[in-house]
Amino acid sequence: MGRVTAQSTEPRPLTEPGTVLHPAEAPDAPWWRDAVIYQVYPRSWADSDGDGIGDLPGITARLPYLRDLGVDAVWLSPFYVSPMNDAGYDVADYRDIDPRFGTLEDADRMLAAAHDLGLKVLVDLVPNHTSSEHAWFRAALAAGPGSPERDRYVFRDGRGPHGEEPPNNWPSVFGGKGWSRVTEADGSPGQWYLHIFDVTQPDLNWHNPEVRAELESVLRFWCDRGVDGFRVDVAHGLVKAEGLPDWHGAVGLYDEVVTEEGPEADGDTSVLDHNAGGHAPMWDQDGVHEIYRSWRRVLDSYGRPDRILCAEAWVKPEERLARYVRPDEMHQAFNFEFLEAPWDGAALAAVVESSLRSNDAVGAPTTWVLSNHDVVRHASRLGLDQHRPRPNGIAADDPQPDAELGLRRARAATALMLALPGGAYVYQGEELGLPEHTTMPDEVRQDPTYHHTKGEVTGRDGCRVPMPWVRDAPSLGFGPGDHPWLPQPEAYAGLAVDQQDGVAGSTLELYRTLLRLRRSLGLGRGSFAWDGRTGGDVVAFRSAPAEDGGEVLVVTNTGAAPVALPAGEVLVASGPLGADGTLPADTTVWLRPTAG
Ligand code: NOJ
Ligand code: MG
């Protein structure tokens, strides 16, 4: 395929206020076009047996909490058999549950319980790589060079007179080299295999028809068990550029870039830009789309209601990302440009405009997201200096976030997100306003990023800490044991579910109100037009939801000066309004303006 040059990121002027930028959905639009989907990180949500690791029976027992929160569906990060070198994103058996999480029967019970509560369930599919403990990789090692078993992965001879240099210069996203050399059966140094992530996550060869058939069969396995969809891991990575050419740009996904020489090689950590200086040969190759077309055919064969695919694709610009959600491909793709936007009205407005435009051009809804298990929680991220690159984790000796400011902005950001048309993902614990754990002792860190960069990059453990359910209980009600797999910071006690449940003004009650109103007003299906207040620190839009035709005005103030609001009924606000009825700093309001 041809090389694509990075496009200018200069924001286009916004559509004129009052002009409909995005039309309302048809009344019979399928469920996923405006669904709110809650991400459960299984090892950290609820532990039923006290071993310190969350599990499926724990999830099943807590599902009524999600019904009461008011979400439509839940996405579970991987629960498959795994050596857990990347928290389960290293799958050794796609068709079975890791004993730490339970059994297939537990999964069936969880699915049935969710469906009884009216919740849909998405599972995680990890098609870019397997674990090195997967039967296929063991067979590949045993079978030797040139074998059909090796052809399921990306094995190559090394460069240099004795093959002692890796086949190309690609680094791993987690730090270090992207290739490892194997020892052949006769004890001689052998071929190299590609691993864009951990050395125990060998990349599959998506040019191999057996690989394609196997992953389609895995889709069917889980569809037959009743799942409603899949979140697709590293959806932009499956196909690599022909010839595996060297690459001198960035490969990072979650933030600071880790180069082959290590993050400090040039005394600098730059911000993620996959396409800096061209088109990265490991990401967003045109060949991935045929894979998703075939998967869509598999899912469509199950009929209505739709089973869905959601792409985890760190692809820029928005137009490139929208190619993953063309009508015959996936249904959703996480809008990471929104997640990455600084707390700045102009930046937020620009990304809202460009994402709605790009997705509308292919007939897809936009999928909003602010937090997940790979990024600093937004209650902390938004309390950092917004002019610096987004960090991958925060350590005790890093600049600490302003917790109060971060939470205020996080509530305002969520209130903005949940009013926007399209779907949205909520990451477990953000409904409690949980901050990142920023003072975790290094000895307990588990993220391979931390270890492969020898602690240079803190990594993602701080956003993966077990949930606080009950203030005065072992492990804050996470489970009967006293030792959760990662320690909970002190601040979590006061934020536990039982401390917020029924408490007016709590973050939990704010989320419940936002989700209830979003549903009753039909905001996820509404039209979108900028309001004339938009500009500078202010993001303001009008939504005319299909449900009752009444217009809702949403205003976010990212600046310091209060913003005047029109007369009308305040439906919900992310924080107290000014005594004079103005919208204070770092606050979002939904209101129904008085007609006339
Ligand atoms: C994306 C997942 O979200 C992340 O947690 C994981 O480390 C990588 N993909 C590799 O599977
Ligand atoms: Mg457990």
Side-chain angles (χ1 to χ4, degrees):
M1 58 158 285
R3 289 169 79 85
V4 179
T5 321
Q7 298 187 8
S8 154
T9 51
E10 194 59 32
R12 284 185 253 217
L14 300 183
T15 301
E16 274 299 295
T19 302
V20 173
L21 160 58
H22 168 89
E25 291 284 343
D28 60 348
W31 68 272
W32 48 270
R33 293 187 67 94
D34 67 337
V36 178
I37 301 181
Y38 183 98
Q39 179 187 358
V40 164
Y41 196 65
R43 53 171 46 219
S44 294
W45 205 53
D47 173 21
S48 70
D49 58 4
D51 67 353
I53 300 176
D55 45 48
L56 288 170
I59 294 171
T60 305
R62 293 285 190 188
L63 286 173
Y65 169 81
L66 294 184
R67 178 210 41 210
D68 297 345
L69 182 60
V71 298
D72 301 289
V74 46
W75 149 40
L76 277 75
S77 280
F79 46 46
Y80 313 106
V81 176
S82 166
M84 304 287 166
N85 292 321
D86 185 21
Y89 282 94
D90 46 330
V91 179
D93 183 350
Y94 292 94
R95 294 184 183 79
D96 206 353
I97 308 293
D98 193 276
R100 281 163 278 212
F101 295 134
T103 62
L104 272 178
E105 290 66 42
D106 291 330
D108 290 342
R109 275 191 284 272
M110 180 273 299
L111 274 165
H115 289 156
D116 283 349
L117 292 168
L119 296 166
K120 297 196 184 293
V121 179
L122 272 63
V123 297
D124 218 303
L125 187 74
V126 188
N128 180 69
H129 42 265
T130 68
S131 161
S132 52
E133 293 189 15
H134 191 282
W136 272 11
F137 194 72
R138 291 171 186 262
L141 290 183
S147 60
E149 288 83 355
R150 285 222 172 158
D151 191 56
R152 294 169 180 149
Y153 293 91
V154 186
F155 277 89
R156 293 286 184 279
D157 294 332
R159 295 200 275 207
H162 308 289
E164 69 279 22
E165 293 296 324
N168 71 21
N169 73 346
W170 296 0
S172 153
V173 168
F174 293 154
K177 287 193 198 321
W179 296 87
S180 290
R181 194 171 195 186
V182 304
T183 303
E184 302 299 355
D186 64 3
S188 63
Q191 289 192 301
W192 296 74
Y193 67 90
L194 177 67
H195 52 85
I196 287 292
F197 293 90
D198 189 66
V199 327
T200 62
Q201 290 169 301
D203 282 56
L204 285 163
N205 170 19
W206 275 89
H207 297 294
N208 181 318
E210 242 189 301
V211 169
R212 294 191 182 228
E214 170 65 2
L215 268 292
E216 281 190 23
S217 151
V218 169
L219 286 176
R220 288 184 199 280
F221 177 88
W222 288 103
C223 283
D224 291 344
R225 292 200 104 86
V227 308
D228 304 287
F230 302 85
R231 173 270 189 188
V232 180
D233 191 61
V234 209
H236 59 316
L238 277 50
V239 174
K240 280 78 183 175
E242 204 49 54
L244 310 180
D246 277 350
W247 170 244
H248 299 282
V251 301
L253 294 192
Y254 313 118
D255 70 317
E256 303 157 294
V257 168
V258 183
T259 65
E260 199 181 0
E261 292 80 26
E264 282 198 330
D266 55 5
D268 173 37
T269 48
S270 30
V271 211
L272 163 73
D273 186 354
H274 291 165
N275 290 338
H279 189 119
M282 66 292 280
W283 305 131
D284 193 30
Q285 302 296 308
D286 287 349
V288 295
H289 296 287
E290 188 41 45
I291 300 169
Y292 303 133
R293 290 192 191 102
S294 72
W295 292 7
R296 179 67 177 254
R297 289 191 291 272
V298 171
L299 266 63
D300 283 353
S301 75
Y302 284 83
R304 298 264 157 168
D306 293 344
R307 317 230 181 171
I308 69 162
L309 297 164
C310 176
E312 187 227 12
W314 294 82
V315 167
K316 290 177 181 177
E318 295 272 6
E319 288 80 0
R320 268 316 274 191
L321 181 63
R323 292 157 51 95
Y324 289 75
V325 287
R326 289 177 289 192
D328 58 348
E329 297 193 38
M330 301 216 198
H331 302 75
Q332 304 179 319
F334 293 113
N335 184 2
F336 291 128
E337 284 212 39
F338 180 68
L339 180 153
E340 294 192 311
W343 188 243
D344 170 84
L348 287 165
V351 68
V352 167
E353 167 99 16
S354 70
S355 31
L356 289 175
R357 273 179 181 278
S358 316
N359 287 313
D360 284 350
V362 296
T366 298
T367 301
W368 309 98
V369 60
L370 287 164
S371 279
N372 67 28
H373 65 293
D374 290 326
V375 301
V376 171
R377 285 180 171 278
H378 68 285
S380 295
R381 193 172 71 233
L382 298 176
L384 292 170
D385 178 353
Q386 296 297 292
H387 303 289
R388 292 188 53 81
R390 189 167 63 78
N392 186 346
I394 300 173
D397 53 3
D398 289 333
Q400 294 294 300
D402 178 332
E404 200 193 310
L405 178 68
L407 180 58
R408 197 163 65 236
R409 288 176 172 172
R411 291 166 55 117
T414 300
L416 167 63
M417 171 174 92
L418 291 177
L420 289 166
Y425 280 71
V426 168
Y427 177 49
Q428 66 176 44
E430 66 168 80
E431 77 279 15
L432 305 176
L434 293 188
E436 187 85 357
H437 191 334
T438 60
T439 54
M440 189 179 286
D442 289 340
E443 316 79 83
V444 304
R445 292 191 189 283
Q446 308 222 359
D447 186 346
T449 314
Y450 176 79
H451 297 287
H452 292 319
T453 63
K454 304 195 173 51
E456 283 297 337
V457 180
T458 305
R460 303 162 292 171
D461 295 305
C463 65
R464 299 175 172 181
V465 172
M467 279 275 285
W469 294 92
V470 182
R471 185 193 174 104
D472 295 312
S475 62
L476 301 176
F478 167 60
D482 260 330
H483 298 288
W485 73 281
L486 284 176
Q488 296 154 308
E490 259 168 44
Y492 277 27
L495 296 170
V497 173
D498 76 332
Q499 299 299 297
Q500 302 199 39
D501 187 19
V503 176
S506 71
T507 303
L508 177 58
E509 291 302 336
L510 172 65
Y511 268 70
R512 286 177 175 161
T513 304
L514 292 169
L515 288 165
R516 180 173 47 76
L517 284 173
R518 172 187 158 92
R519 190 186 294 246
S520 65
L521 296 165
L523 286 173
R525 300 177 163 229
S527 64
F528 179 103
W530 290 114
D531 177 77
R533 289 168 184 79
T534 298
D537 296 327
V538 179
V539 182
F541 65 91
R542 288 170 187 261
S543 171
E547 262 63 2
D548 65 358
E551 201 176 53
V552 176
L553 172 66
V554 177
V555 188
T556 299
N557 180 8
T558 67
V563 171
L565 292 173
E569 177 200 355
V570 171
L571 301 167
V572 62
S574 67
L577 297 183
D580 54 354
T582 56
L583 182 67
D586 303 319
T587 309
T588 293
V589 66
W590 300 1
L591 60 79
R592 227 186 243 293
T594 310

